[in-house]
Amino acid sequence: MKKIKTSKNSETIMTEIVCPNDTNPMGILQGGRLVQWMDIASAICSQNHAEHICVTASIDSVKFKTPAKVGDIITIKAKVTRSFNSSMEIFVQAWAKKILSQKAYLINEAYFTFVALDDNAKPAFVPAIKPSSEAEKKEYLNALKRKNSRLKNN
Ligand SMILES: CC(C)(COP(=O)(O)OP(=O)(O)OC[C@H]1O[C@@H](n2cnc3c(N)ncnc32)[C@H](O)[C@@H]1OP(=O)(O)O)[C@@H](O)C(=O)NCCC(=O)NCCS
């Protein structure tokens, strides 16, 4: 029987500080660096859920909402919305916090799809997700529509 887990089991929170080497000449965090951090957070999340090595299959709905600046503290949260056979959809959000004001604001959100691999690098079955809250149930239902639409656009 397929193992069932909640998204709380693998929810991942990662923090970074924006250093000069992460920014453009205006001191704004580079988009690619932020997506790299989000990819790492979602890799940790998917691997803890799957209990397998996982690879990024796709990244979609990436929204850069507000710039982060040098010195800001970045917090990234990654959570599995739903798993299928070997793939998992991970919702990732990132916030930037100003040290002096301690104010945090949402800077990015995106959906990552990770695929679990077995020892022969072939897709491996992953545990199912049991959504708990109303918000999780909504994300769970919509995850199937998003999966179908991203595969159609491949
Ligand atoms: C992702 C990958 C493993 C899929 O392998 P594949 O042989 O095409 O596997 P399948 O067609 O059997 O699909 C396996 C799963 O991946 C999903 N998938 C495949 N391509 C996808 C895509 N572009 N976007 C989202 N999901 C995708 C399928 O829907 C399927 O999910 P399911 O098992 O839950 O139904 C393969 O394409 C790959 O290795 N890509 C490169 C990954 C990589 O290098 N990432 C960056 C470094 S981590």
Side-chain angles (χ1 to χ4, degrees):
M1 209 171 91
K2 203 170 180 182
K3 195 168 174 181
I4 299 173
K5 295 168 95 174
T6 68
S7 58
K8 268 275 167 242
N9 295 137
S10 53
E11 189 175 294
T12 301
I13 310 264
M14 195 172 107
T15 55
E16 294 281 348
I17 186 162
V18 181
C19 293
N21 199 34
D22 302 318
T23 69
N24 72 9
M26 294 179 80
I28 293 172
L29 174 61
Q30 288 170 357
R33 185 61 53 94
L34 177 59
V35 172
Q36 181 194 13
W37 290 338
M38 292 166 74
D39 186 49
I40 291 169
S42 43
I44 295 167
C45 174
S46 63
Q47 292 180 129
N48 274 329
H49 177 78
E51 302 169 21
H52 278 278
I53 303 296
C54 299
V55 289
T56 319
S58 72
I59 305 175
D60 54 69
S61 312
V62 186
K63 295 190 185 85
F64 290 92
K65 293 170 176 289
T66 325
K69 297 276 181 65
V70 69
D72 289 352
I73 304 288
I74 306 299
T75 301
I76 296 167
K77 185 169 103 175
K79 192 171 169 177
V80 183
T81 58
R82 184 165 179 165
S83 59
F84 298 94
N85 295 313
S86 63
S87 68
M88 295 145 281
E89 184 192 73
I90 319 286
F91 182 50
V92 191
Q93 291 175 295
W95 292 265
K97 188 169 80 175
K98 301 275 165 214
I99 304 262
L100 297 184
S101 69
Q102 288 288 293
K103 283 209 174 106
Y105 52 97
L106 186 67
I107 56 167
N108 197 301
E109 52 188 28
Y111 288 99
F112 285 66
T113 301
F114 275 75
V115 176
L117 300 181
D118 65 16
D119 293 344
N120 299 312
K122 295 287 176 217
F125 283 107
V126 297
I129 279 281
K130 183 175 172 11
S132 312
S133 65
E134 283 310 310
E136 283 182 8
K137 284 176 189 162
K138 195 171 163 203
E139 280 288 318
Y140 181 92
L141 284 176
N142 289 333
L144 179 59
K145 294 181 196 155
R146 286 189 294 266
K147 178 182 171 158
N148 290 337
S149 126
R150 73 174 64 92
L151 291 180
K152 205 163 63 186
N153 296 330
N154 261 348

